[in-house]
Amino acid sequence: MSGPTVPVSSRRVPTSALLVSAALGAVQALVFLAVVPITSVLAATSPPAYAVVAGVHTALPFLARVVTRVPGMATLAAFVTGVLTVAVSPIGLLGVVPLVLGGVVLDLALPFRRDAPVRPARVLLAGAVTGAVLFVVALPVFSPEHLVPPVLVATLLGRVVGELAVAGVVLAVRRLLRRAGVAR
């Protein structure tokens, strides 16, 4: 005896979700290009300030996941961003890792079912978790003078605050898109 069968159509990823996510990933690459001069300086001089500003790197992958409501779309958008920014990233190919990891964490922190509503509290929680994970990922590249408790705590808080701010913007954009009839 086998379990209930899931219709093939419910397992497929809608083409529209793939296209929207890839497009948002491409736009995120342009955002990356715009802020990389700032984040490069901040990363070396002020990790807490960098942490707040770096939240912008997850904005459009986050939006892709929340608007499409399809698991995996934040990861796809982040991957597209990473591939498009390898040549200009200060850390080259290694820069894909935190981008994609941020997308993976967002996808894991939000509902796994397409039909499940994404509530604002869940979006904010996803932002906070993503900020904490990305802080941990950044620890190995901290300079020794920044590996002191006040800087580490301020950087963790900055990362979480930055991601919460992005989550708030994503919620506002989703609300506007719903009002316009573009998203559900």
Side-chain angles (χ1 to χ4, degrees):
M1 193 170 194
S2 65
T5 59
V6 178
V8 174
S9 63
S10 68
R11 289 182 282 170
R12 289 189 188 144
V13 175
T15 303
S16 61
L18 293 169
L19 291 171
V20 165
S21 298
L24 289 173
V27 173
Q28 183 67 51
L30 296 174
V31 172
F32 183 93
L33 289 171
V35 299
V36 79
I38 298 164
T39 56
S40 296
V41 171
L42 288 177
T45 59
S46 177
Y50 166 81
V52 173
V53 174
V56 76
H57 294 309
T58 60
L60 294 168
F62 206 160
L63 183 63
R65 177 60 175 86
V66 170
V67 170
T68 64
R69 295 173 61 176
V70 176
M73 293 304 101
T75 303
L76 174 64
F79 177 75
V80 169
T81 302
V83 167
L84 293 174
T85 59
V86 165
V88 295
S89 173
I91 55 177
L93 185 59
L94 189 58
V96 175
V97 174
L99 289 170
V100 171
L101 184 61
V104 168
V105 172
L106 288 169
D107 280 325
L108 291 174
L110 294 168
F112 293 126
R113 291 188 355 249
R114 266 191 262 169
D115 58 339
V118 183
R119 305 211 185 287
R122 187 79 177 257
V123 171
L124 293 171
L125 176 64
V129 169
T130 302
V133 168
L134 290 175
F135 165 77
V136 171
V137 168
L139 281 176
V141 297
F142 270 58
S143 61
E145 64 268 11
H146 291 137
L147 286 174
V148 294
V151 174
L152 292 173
V153 170
T155 304
L156 172 60
L157 291 175
R159 197 60 157 155
V160 171
V161 165
E163 292 296 333
L164 287 173
V166 165
V169 169
V170 165
L171 288 170
V173 170
R174 179 180 72 170
R175 188 172 28 258
L176 292 172
L177 290 172
R178 280 182 174 169
R179 194 174 299 153
V182 178
R184 54 184 181 130

